[in-house]
Amino acid sequence: MKSTCTLSRNQSKSAENKTSIENQEPAVLGTSYISMAQSSPTMMWITGPHNREFFINDHFLEFLGFPPSDAGFEFWKNAIHPKDRKNTFKRTDSSFEKKKPYKIEYRLRRYDDQYRWVMDNGAPQFDAEGNFIGYLRSLVDVHEIKELEHRKGQFITAASHELKTPVTSLKVYLHLIDEYINEHHLAPYTEYSHGAITQLNKITALIDQLLDLNRIQSSSLYFENTTFDFCELVDEVVKKMQLLHPQREITLQGDCSAQVFADYERLLQAIENLISNGIKYSAAKENGKVEVVMGEDTERVYLTVKDYGIGIAEKHLLKIFERFYRIPGKTEETFPGMGIGLYLTRKIIQKSGGEISVESDYGNFTEFTIKLPVSKDT
Ligand code: ADP
């Protein structure tokens, strides 16, 4: 909530401060550049090659409560929430060193002492000769969006927990019915009960994905790492997926004997996601096989999962690992999904010290590759 009293006091300070901040290196800024920055609804500041500001627009000054003209940079540093400082400085300093763009979210204290979530974007600037001249930084107040996201997360967790209990009971009842059908040789009904169990398993998997998603958001996705044979795990996943999809061809090639240090169940889940996507997105194709290849070198084990399905256009390749990202399009939208699987898969691979990449030829094939470090303690 804005305090009118504070604002009017600060507004009078604005005029004094604004000119002195602009004056520090005015030659670099054109008048139209300044007026554009001043009329922008975004908080903007421009730093020189030594990461010191020489222009801060009014909107940003107003947010900070019009700090004294000589305190701009330090003021920003001190206004960051103590819990976010370390990470923010690490990220901005390292981008500054490499002269790379960055995007970071942190809490920043507003003029009324309220901490607000802001999204800080930094773009390095170069002159005509390619010399680095500083950063153009823009900050957007994303507090409301963050709060809505938080509430959405809470809702998803609550709804998933509420669903989990009846679904678990349903599973027990269905298994009892299935047993009864088997004992009494009621053959035609076996198919129905198996069908119901398969569908219920799909619902359980969806609920688990939603719960995992929220665990990631709240940093409580725990990993119990042990050392195990990577290829045995791949073998197990492929066998399991083949059993679940007997009508589809899943091939496994290659070999390895290396051990990895990771959470067995989580890694299994990640590989399962890749294979089930391969199966799903190639279902309508004539060549519906999914090829899994594994191997190793001295440092890493690797796995590729390739399908000959709908493929992914280049512009979507990086985005598919984002949360809830589903590729728009007539063909793509015919497949069910929530855009969570690859997000979770990437998190799991990263948490296991590995990396994941994707290659695709739209309309022809998609190939995911994961690489994981070999565990040296055998
Ligand atoms: P979803 O539940 O929607 O499949 P994912 O996170 O697993 O969610 O995948 C994100 C998006 O990436 C999918 O919606 C789909 O558009 C695309 N995608 C993933 N795997 C494949 C694949 N093997 N072939 C084609 N598109 C894929």
Side-chain angles (χ1 to χ4, degrees):
M1 264 280 139
K2 274 189 181 180
S3 138
T4 334
C5 163
T6 321
L7 194 63
S8 54
R9 183 165 53 84
N10 285 334
Q11 263 169 345
S12 63
K13 278 190 172 184
S14 157
E16 297 158 25
N17 294 335
K18 192 177 60 181
T19 36
S20 50
I21 286 174
E22 278 173 17
N23 279 344
Q24 288 174 24
E25 270 186 68
V28 192
L29 303 171
T31 341
S32 53
Y33 201 33
I34 291 180
S35 45
M36 191 177 78
Q38 289 295 34
S39 59
S40 163
T42 315
M43 296 177 262
M44 291 177 83
W45 58 333
I46 300 171
T47 63
H50 305 296
N51 204 14
R52 288 278 153 179
E53 84 284 356
F54 57 83
F55 173 77
I56 302 183
N57 75 350
D58 282 355
H59 192 44
F60 197 7
L61 286 173
E62 185 185 330
F63 181 96
L64 292 174
F66 299 101
S69 60
D70 55 350
F73 190 72
E74 290 305 317
F75 202 86
W76 164 75
K77 278 182 145 183
N78 292 329
I80 294 174
H81 194 290
K83 284 193 177 153
D84 299 340
R85 278 182 203 164
K86 201 170 150 208
N87 188 36
T88 304
F89 299 148
K90 199 171 137 200
R91 287 280 306 280
T92 50
D93 286 354
S94 106
S95 307
F96 202 84
E97 237 168 65
K98 296 178 198 142
K99 301 172 180 46
K100 292 261 184 218
Y102 69 83
K103 194 183 260 191
I104 180 167
E105 286 180 358
Y106 52 83
R107 284 160 290 180
L108 191 64
R109 197 179 50 235
R110 204 170 55 176
Y111 62 86
D112 55 0
D113 285 337
Q114 200 193 110
Y115 279 105
R116 308 277 301 175
W117 279 100
V118 294
M119 156 96 79
D120 182 347
N121 285 277
Q125 304 292 300
F126 301 91
D127 66 15
E129 277 82 48
N131 303 309
F132 173 63
I133 52 168
Y135 266 83
L136 177 58
R137 303 176 65 164
S138 54
L139 285 89
V140 183
D141 185 331
V142 290
H143 200 79
E144 264 80 37
I145 300 172
K146 278 288 237 195
E147 282 196 333
L148 279 174
E149 257 190 27
H150 181 67
R151 253 181 277 158
K152 186 174 75 186
Q154 282 180 323
F155 170 75
I156 290 176
T157 313
S160 316
H161 277 297
E162 289 300 315
L163 279 169
K164 192 122 196 180
T165 317
V167 164
T168 310
S169 311
L170 254 177
K171 229 182 205 172
V172 174
Y173 290 130
L174 261 179
H175 278 287
L176 290 174
I177 294 171
D178 193 52
E179 264 176 43
Y180 181 88
I181 291 170
N182 283 339
E183 273 167 25
H184 294 82
H185 309 291
L186 303 171
Y189 296 100
T190 317
E191 203 185 312
Y192 303 149
S193 70
H194 285 183
I197 290 170
T198 307
Q199 295 308 318
L200 205 58
N201 284 339
K202 282 188 186 168
I203 295 175
T204 313
L206 288 177
I207 296 173
D208 287 340
Q209 272 200 345
L210 287 171
L211 287 171
D212 280 348
L213 184 74
N214 220 50
R215 284 186 192 113
I216 291 180
Q217 297 309 111
S218 59
S219 311
S220 57
L221 185 72
Y222 297 115
F223 284 70
E224 274 181 45
N225 289 353
T226 54
T227 305
F228 56 87
D229 190 315
F230 179 69
C231 284
E232 268 177 36
L233 167 90
V234 177
D235 207 43
E236 184 186 331
V237 187
V238 171
K239 280 187 183 135
K240 179 179 169 190
M241 297 307 283
Q242 188 65 80
L243 266 177
L244 285 172
H245 303 273
Q247 71 288 12
R248 302 294 298 275
E249 187 187 354
I250 308 171
T251 62
L252 176 61
Q253 284 170 358
D255 202 4
C256 59
S257 55
Q259 307 264 307
V260 292
F261 183 66
D263 184 311
Y264 191 92
E265 291 303 324
R266 290 280 171 209
L267 202 53
L268 190 136
Q269 179 188 358
I271 298 170
E272 214 177 280
N273 272 343
L274 296 180
I275 300 179
S276 66
N277 271 355
I279 291 171
K280 178 163 74 174
Y281 292 103
S282 64
K285 284 277 189 142
E286 210 173 290
N287 181 0
K289 81 171 165 187
V290 176
E291 295 170 348
V292 181
V293 179
M294 55 192 176
E296 68 185 307
D297 56 33
T298 48
E299 297 295 319
R300 292 183 299 186
V301 287
Y302 66 83
L303 173 90
T304 60
V305 177
K306 185 171 184 177
D307 68 78
Y308 298 87
I310 60 170
I312 301 170
E314 201 184 339
K315 63 179 176 191
H316 299 292
L317 284 180
L318 283 178
K319 292 189 182 157
I320 55 172
F321 295 102
E322 288 171 15
R323 197 165 47 117
F324 299 132
Y325 191 80
R326 304 208 70 228
I327 299 176
K330 259 188 184 162
T331 317
E332 287 80 355
E333 282 162 16
T334 56
F335 297 90
M338 296 194 292
I340 299 178
L342 286 179
Y343 173 74
L344 283 175
T345 301
R346 184 170 69 162
K347 289 280 171 195
I348 293 170
I349 300 301
Q350 284 174 341
K351 274 263 198 180
S352 315
E355 56 191 62
I356 180 163
S357 57
V358 58
E359 206 190 317
S360 183
D361 183 12
Y362 190 50
N364 290 318
F365 78 85
T366 305
E367 183 176 64
F368 285 92
T369 303
I370 61 174
K371 290 179 181 160
L372 292 164
V374 165
S375 167
K376 304 285 179 197
D377 354 302
T378 39

